[in-house]
Amino acid sequence: MAELRKIQVADTQPFRQLLPNLVKPISYDITIKPDFDQFTFLGTSSIEIKVFENTQEIILHAVDLEILECTLKSGKDSFDKSRLNYNKDDETVTLYFKEKITVGKYQLDLSFNGQLNDKMVGFYRSKYEKNGEYKFCGVTQFEPTDARRAFPCFDEPSLKATFVIRLDIPVSLIGLSNMPVDFSETRGDTQLITYKPTPIMSTYLIAFVIGEYDFVESKTERGVTVRVFTEVGKSKKGKFALACACKILDFYTDYFDLGYPLEKVDMIAISDFSAGAMENWGLITYRETALLIDEATSSLASKQRVAYVVAHELAHQWFGNLVTMAWWNDLWLNEGFATWVGNLAVDFLYKEWDAWPQFVQEYTSSALQLDSLRSSHPIEVEVRRSSEVNEIFDAISYCKGASVIRMLAAHLGMDVFREGLRGYLKKHQYGNAATKDLWCSLSEASNKDIVEFTYKWTKETGYPVIMVTRTAKDTLSVTQKRFLATGEALKEEKAWQVPLSVTGDGTNTVFRKVLSTFEDTLRLPEDLAKSTWLKLNVGFNGFYRVKYSDELFSALSDALITQVLPTVDRLGIANDAFALSRAGYIRTDKVLSLIEYFKEEKEYTVWVDITENLRQVQVLYEEHEAKEKLQTYMRQLYSPIAHEVGWEPEENEHPLRSLLRSVVISALGLNGDAAIIDVARDRFAKYLEDPASLIPDLRSAVFSIVVANGGKHEFDSVRSIFYNADMHEERMRALSALGRTEIPQLVDELLKMGHSEAVRPSDLCYVYGSLSSNGVARPLAWKYMKEHFPALKQQFGNGQFLLCRMIEVATKNFASKEKAQEIREFFTVHPTESALRTIENSIERVMSNAAWLERDRQHVFEYLRKR
Ligand code: BES
Ligand code: ZN
């Protein structure tokens, strides 16, 4: 009897759960007929398969489907299934045949029915409002392993086939799928739409959507049709994304030197959507906030988000769709790449947004954080079963993946790197590839041995901290070891290959050397030997931390005061310093003192980073006597820059200045600055009269300040914005602001509201997110989550990453050993298989918070007292 093939990947590694190697699909012809009254669907599927070994059974993936009929044909023979057996654990169905099926080609015909579920996976229903009435549309989300919920299939990324999709739907609805319509037949009030055959592709990229929509349409320079679909009457809000998509498609066509292979790409906003967006080939689905822009009410931050998400998903049309990872262990090839190249495209489109410093601030910084835990994982990570796949859509696959790519691109040079990418895409198009195939193409393009260079970065967990001392004017001594948030020393067997770079004052010289041993000495060129200060990891291109000797560290304050270093390097100095203090390499009071040199700082990105890091410090001191002194420190730190940016935008100001204004005003208003709070209240009152009076970039700040410093009245006002706003973006601003309340009873109301019909399930994580960064609300939110955990698990299914995100945000900001223990105990009693990694990460993070606080609390207090 053929069983699921369990492949042993390497001697020491566990098994991968795969379908047996006996049968492969060649093409599918699938018809789906949804029933929006019963929330069910009927389907038929005709799969052309190739049988490689004689067998009496065929195994396919299927979940929550009932197979009604099944026949197997080859020429004129027809086999009847004698029996079938569903295997819940493996998510498969086995078809047993009476006669032996010999090697050859067959046609497998199936009919089946399923549920149009409300879990945001497989083929599901999404609720929307039309003229005050609730209606449903049908949507798919198949990545990573939920195509098997919509039709029986060979649901593995390597088992590529071509697909003809047919939708049998009411004439009043629009049907969309990956490909353009081939033909359609109307019978009474139903239509059967047949879409053109897809290219050879993986199951997880198939999509169809059925509902009522309006759209806007345009074409790229190369003639690809691009459309953006929205709720009826809102198509104007798709214009920004439409314009971005056209330009980005042309950009990628040039960059990859390979055209987009389909005739069209549709992008559609879906109201109930678990991810941010999904790159289905030719039919990309989005959360509303990741696609729709209203020129009058959207913030610049939203525009940046939309441009980036569109760029990210379009990047997948090449990286992921055209060339697909062979198995989920190489998910990073998809997500790391789309993250890096998505930023490259945004930088191309909007130079003024300073994409790369923001990249370091958002992506590199969160990857460095997660990867400083022992419970992190390597970029290339073994994935055995489908329940394990969802969890690796994390900061390692996305952010470390993208940061390592950025490091590699800088190391090889951008042109060589692009050549390598072009080679890789051409060679593997319409096929599957693994990490080593990428290294192979990059090695060919660069004539360098990439495998050795990248080995430890992608095959092992963690990254190094480089300890540097100036032993003579022209000499640096450097050592490397693994950086852990706990400060522990782990013995590494092998050293990382670290691309070092050094710059100094009064020169543009950058000295470079790859450190490939645990210790080394760098001999600096003449102009660097003259420098009073030296800065390593120039441009923050490398994925590592730098710990300067005391002497080098104090000299850096000169560089900060004179602001001669580029934005990304100033940001890097602060970011490293905070991380080093968490791990015990520098005392936190020394970092607080370093940050005072940033008073003259003017760049948005530097300020966001400092703000986020100081927030982490503040989180630790919420119940400590230093709390108020820290608030005073914050007010003094932000005063000069607040004075400079003011409340009113200047004419023709740099776009990032508007974002800076909001960061600075929030920091002050949330740290008790009376003047700022007064103005915020005043602006809020005016906004309630006339929303247009408050520019969108300041709304989050104003709503948050008003709620944080107000009572029930303010809470209710912001809540009514949530209920009444037309744009989902505005509703989300209001929802997050509500989480700032420090009144326990209101926290409770917000939690109840979050779990009610009022908040879409896909947005509940924002409620937990904002409550958990609020000291008063955090324990209440965690308590509530614990009490409602069975319901949450039920609602968010097993194996969904939204559950992981909620667990993560609700737990990771605690700062005591007792809490870490409590979290461990809770999940022992409530085992959550699909969030095992997340839970371990959180517990370790809480332990490191606790250690950080314990180690430095006295010094921090003394420092703040004496200032
Ligand atoms: N392929 C993912 C969508 C996805 C995420 C599917 C998790 C299954 C599980 C998509 O390309 C993606 O990365 N979406 C991001 C948004 C992106 C712009 C960062 C997301 O959903 O967060
Ligand atoms: Zn992606």
Side-chain angles (χ1 to χ4, degrees):
M1 184 180 118
E3 269 194 16
L4 280 203
R5 192 160 51 111
K6 310 234 161 117
I7 302 259
Q8 197 154 22
V9 182
D11 290 348
T12 53
Q13 274 169 342
F15 293 102
R16 265 183 207 171
Q17 191 184 37
L18 294 174
L19 294 174
N21 235 344
L22 309 176
V23 181
K24 288 208 167 120
I26 300 166
S27 69
Y28 294 77
D29 188 325
I30 297 167
T31 307
I32 299 283
K33 184 179 169 64
D35 179 338
F36 288 104
D37 296 322
Q38 304 296 319
F39 298 139
T40 56
F41 62 89
L42 258 179
T44 60
S45 164
S46 177
I47 316 174
E48 200 190 337
I49 57 170
K50 208 168 168 177
V51 175
F52 291 90
E53 273 174 47
N54 296 349
T55 175
Q56 230 168 320
E57 59 193 63
I58 295 177
I59 305 183
L60 297 94
H61 285 111
V63 174
D64 291 347
L65 293 176
E66 186 191 2
I67 295 184
L68 306 171
E69 286 170 312
C70 155
T71 47
L72 186 72
K73 290 183 209 147
S74 113
K76 47 190 173 331
D77 311 330
S78 166
F79 302 80
D80 276 328
K81 59 124 215 258
S82 55
R83 198 156 59 84
L84 50 79
N85 184 38
Y86 298 95
N87 185 332
K88 244 186 151 53
D89 277 353
D90 292 340
E91 307 193 327
T92 58
V93 57
T94 306
L95 313 173
Y96 298 95
F97 294 89
K98 284 191 196 121
E99 293 160 58
K100 196 151 237 119
I101 308 164
T102 53
V103 174
K105 275 193 188 173
Y106 294 85
Q107 183 182 320
L108 177 62
D109 289 335
L110 297 159
S111 65
F112 51 93
N113 64 30
Q115 304 295 320
L116 198 55
N117 74 75
D118 62 355
K119 301 275 188 284
M120 298 186 279
V121 291
F123 184 29
Y124 70 95
R125 58 185 196 261
S126 162
K127 198 155 92 173
Y128 65 97
E129 224 185 291
K130 194 188 166 196
N131 305 329
E133 229 187 291
Y134 279 125
K135 300 191 119 194
F136 292 93
C137 56
V139 190
T140 58
Q141 169 60 44
F142 290 168
E143 190 182 18
T145 56
D146 290 310
R148 61 190 70 170
R149 291 175 183 275
F151 47 83
C153 57
F154 300 86
D155 197 11
E156 289 171 9
S158 290
L159 296 175
K160 288 193 173 189
T162 60
F163 293 77
V164 170
I165 301 292
R166 302 174 203 262
L167 297 176
D168 189 346
I169 59 174
V171 281
S172 57
L173 299 180
I174 288 185
L176 297 170
S177 185
N178 306 80
M179 302 299 289
V181 174
D182 197 357
F183 53 90
S184 114
E185 307 148 64
T186 309
R187 290 178 241 132
D189 52 6
T190 67
Q191 52 181 338
L192 178 65
I193 309 175
T194 300
Y195 300 87
K196 291 187 182 171
T198 69
I200 183 162
M201 65 186 284
S202 305
T203 43
Y204 80 90
L205 292 165
I206 292 294
F208 34 89
V209 176
I210 299 142
E212 295 175 280
Y213 304 101
D214 276 349
F215 67 94
V216 284
E217 174 174 348
S218 182
K219 265 191 185 344
T220 68
E221 277 177 19
R222 312 299 205 292
V224 178
T225 300
V226 184
R227 298 184 294 183
V228 177
F229 288 79
T230 67
E231 267 177 40
V232 173
K234 298 191 176 167
S235 64
K236 250 170 69 185
K237 294 178 179 151
K239 284 192 167 170
F240 177 76
L242 181 67
C244 288
C246 290
K247 285 181 250 175
I248 292 168
L249 274 172
D250 283 326
F251 170 76
Y252 287 148
T253 302
D254 293 334
Y255 187 81
F256 296 132
D257 194 23
L258 199 58
Y260 173 76
L262 311 184
E263 288 167 48
K264 63 99 178 173
V265 58
D266 291 330
M267 312 203 291
I268 184 162
I270 305 292
S271 25
D272 294 308
F273 194 76
S274 72
M278 175 65 212
E279 71 266 24
N280 316 299
W281 216 352
L283 175 53
I284 308 176
T285 43
Y286 293 82
R287 255 182 206 239
E288 280 174 38
T289 47
L291 187 68
L292 306 184
I293 290 295
D294 179 303
E295 285 303 333
T297 63
S298 287
S299 64
L300 175 59
S302 295
K303 283 191 173 177
Q304 290 191 337
R305 169 101 186 129
V306 169
Y308 169 67
V309 180
V310 168
H312 176 111
E313 303 311 334
L314 289 176
H316 279 311
Q317 309 300 305
W318 284 260
F319 259 94
N321 303 8
L322 189 62
V323 180
T324 312
M325 72 258 138
W327 179 246
W328 299 107
N329 65 319
D330 275 324
L331 175 72
W332 87 281
L333 281 180
N334 270 10
E335 299 304 347
F337 244 92
T339 302
W340 179 77
V341 107
N343 277 283
L344 192 75
V346 169
D347 188 47
F348 169 80
L349 225 60
Y350 291 98
K351 257 278 150 268
E352 66 280 16
W353 286 354
D354 244 2
W356 292 113
Q358 284 201 61
F359 175 93
V360 170
Q361 199 278 317
E362 277 180 51
Y363 301 93
T364 307
S365 159
S366 40
L368 288 167
Q369 248 188 47
L370 178 52
D371 211 23
S372 68
L373 304 179
R374 276 167 175 272
S375 56
S376 176
H377 63 84
I379 285 184
E380 294 180 61
V381 57
E382 196 41 56
V383 173
R384 290 157 303 180
R385 16 185 320 121
S386 69
S387 64
E388 293 176 349
V389 188
N390 268 297
E391 259 200 299
I392 58 166
F393 286 84
D394 65 359
I396 297 301
S397 303
Y398 282 76
C399 307
K400 185 180 181 183
S403 302
V404 166
I405 286 163
R406 179 166 177 260
M407 173 164 74
L408 193 55
H411 176 63
L412 298 178
M414 287 294 272
D415 290 345
V416 170
F417 190 74
R418 186 185 55 202
E419 277 323 298
L421 292 186
R422 289 177 172 180
Y424 168 84
L425 288 171
K426 280 212 176 74
K427 185 161 170 195
H428 302 285
Q429 55 182 325
Y430 302 106
N432 294 84
T435 300
K436 66 173 180 351
D437 297 312
L438 179 63
W439 297 162
C440 190
S441 296
L442 287 169
S443 296
E444 259 167 42
S446 65
N447 270 321
K448 284 191 186 159
D449 180 7
I450 307 305
V451 177
E452 182 60 20
F453 180 85
T454 55
Y455 179 84
K456 223 174 137 78
W457 295 108
T458 63
K459 292 267 189 206
E460 290 187 11
T461 309
Y463 58 87
V465 50
I466 306 300
M467 321 270 274
V468 50
T469 314
R470 196 170 191 172
T471 47
K473 271 272 154 210
D474 66 346
T475 315
L476 292 181
S477 133
V478 290
T479 62
Q480 60 159 297
K481 65 173 182 173
R482 167 133 183 230
F483 181 80
L484 284 169
T486 48
E488 298 160 271
L490 276 191
K491 184 106 190 74
E492 293 293 317
E493 306 239 310
K494 234 171 120 79
W496 275 275
Q497 302 248 338
V498 187
L500 293 179
S501 52
V502 188
T503 187
D505 60 329
T507 172
N508 287 327
T509 304
V510 177
F511 172 78
R512 293 179 198 280
K513 182 173 186 187
V514 175
L515 172 68
S516 50
T517 49
F518 287 105
E519 289 180 32
D520 203 358
T521 306
L522 309 185
R523 197 73 63 199
L524 298 176
E526 212 173 314
D527 44 351
L528 285 178
K530 281 188 276 180
S531 295
T532 49
W533 53 261
L534 296 170
K535 163 79 176 62
L536 273 76
N537 198 9
V538 180
F540 217 122
N541 278 309
F543 192 72
Y544 55 89
R545 297 286 186 198
V546 180
K547 161 75 175 77
Y548 297 95
S549 65
D550 287 349
E551 182 204 355
L552 285 168
F553 190 67
S554 357
L556 274 176
S557 50
D558 256 6
L560 296 174
I561 294 170
T562 51
Q563 304 217 5
V564 282
L565 280 168
T567 308
V568 65
D569 288 306
R570 300 201 300 280
L571 180 166
I573 291 172
N575 195 294
D576 275 353
F578 279 106
L580 291 164
S581 70
R582 168 185 284 274
Y585 288 86
I586 320 179
R587 279 194 356 223
T588 312
D589 51 317
K590 298 274 190 283
V591 180
L592 293 179
S593 152
L594 172 82
I595 297 303
E596 307 220 29
Y597 288 103
F598 283 85
K599 273 199 176 133
E600 297 295 313
E601 180 59 60
K602 308 268 188 281
E603 280 303 324
Y604 160 70
T605 327
V606 179
W607 276 114
V608 202
D609 202 55
I610 289 178
T611 307
E612 286 183 5
N613 275 301
L614 282 172
R615 194 56 225 136
Q616 284 306 315
V617 176
Q618 282 192 294
V619 155
L620 304 181
Y621 289 85
E622 264 150 4
E623 288 160 30
H624 190 265
E625 50 191 345
K627 176 179 175 181
E628 267 157 39
K629 297 201 160 49
L630 257 176
Q631 292 199 319
T632 312
Y633 169 94
M634 295 291 282
R635 291 196 298 271
Q636 290 172 353
L637 180 65
Y638 287 84
S639 279
I641 185 71
H643 197 74
E644 165 126 8
V645 295
W647 276 87
E648 291 304 327
E650 279 158 41
E651 210 147 324
N652 297 324
E653 69 179 5
H654 192 278
L656 295 186
R657 200 163 171 95
S658 190
L659 298 182
L660 172 62
R661 183 173 295 115
S662 119
V663 167
V664 169
I665 288 175
S666 298
L668 285 168
L670 298 173
N671 280 291
D673 186 295
I676 291 278
I677 296 170
D678 276 349
V679 183
R681 286 186 176 134
D682 185 52
R683 302 263 161 157
F684 185 67
K686 292 202 177 100
Y687 164 89
L688 292 178
E689 296 283 304
D690 170 20
S693 68
L694 183 58
I695 58 162
D697 287 355
L698 282 180
R699 289 186 192 171
S700 274
V702 167
F703 297 175
S704 301
I705 295 170
V706 165
V707 173
N709 298 285
K712 172 127 179 80
H713 178 71
E714 289 76 8
F715 185 87
D716 285 342
S717 301
V718 173
R719 178 158 49 185
S720 65
I721 299 172
F722 171 75
Y723 281 127
N724 299 323
D726 177 48
M727 274 297 273
H728 200 60
E729 177 187 337
E730 185 92 327
R731 296 161 52 82
M732 295 314 295
R733 281 200 273 267
L735 190 63
S736 292
L738 290 174
R740 301 280 180 174
T741 181
E742 299 196 348
I743 300 171
Q745 201 193 331
L746 297 178
V747 171
D748 201 53
E749 269 186 43
L750 180 58
L751 283 161
K752 287 206 179 91
M753 180 176 144
H755 282 252
S756 77
E757 291 270 294
V759 174
R760 289 179 189 160
S762 52
D763 296 336
L764 180 56
C765 53
Y766 295 100
V767 173
Y768 278 106
S770 74
L771 286 173
S772 306
S773 57
N774 160 350
V776 175
R778 187 176 313 126
L780 301 173
W782 168 231
K783 182 162 173 276
Y784 200 91
M785 176 178 278
K786 285 192 294 185
E787 285 165 9
H788 295 80
F789 198 69
L792 275 180
K793 242 173 121 170
Q794 162 73 20
Q795 171 142 37
F796 291 93
N798 218 9
Q800 266 211 57
F801 66 93
L802 270 180
L803 188 64
C804 293
R805 300 236 165 115
M806 275 189 276
I807 295 174
E808 181 195 338
V809 295
T811 53
K812 72 169 186 188
N813 281 337
F814 288 110
S816 72
K817 282 187 195 141
E818 294 71 32
K819 273 289 174 201
Q821 188 56 30
E822 184 190 319
I823 297 166
R824 161 128 12 252
E825 276 161 19
F826 179 79
F827 288 107
T828 311
V829 181
H830 297 87
T832 307
E833 197 197 359
S834 61
L836 294 177
R837 277 185 199 285
T838 311
I839 295 161
E840 281 312 313
N841 294 160
S842 263
I843 293 171
E844 206 183 334
R845 170 92 178 171
V846 173
M847 290 296 284
S848 117
N849 284 345
W852 188 13
L853 174 63
E854 213 37 62
R855 192 184 319 113
D856 285 351
R857 61 199 295 170
Q858 215 46 47
H859 299 299
V860 167
F861 184 70
E862 282 305 308
Y863 172 76
L864 294 172
R865 198 173 57 84
K866 290 203 192 112
R867 272 176 81 240

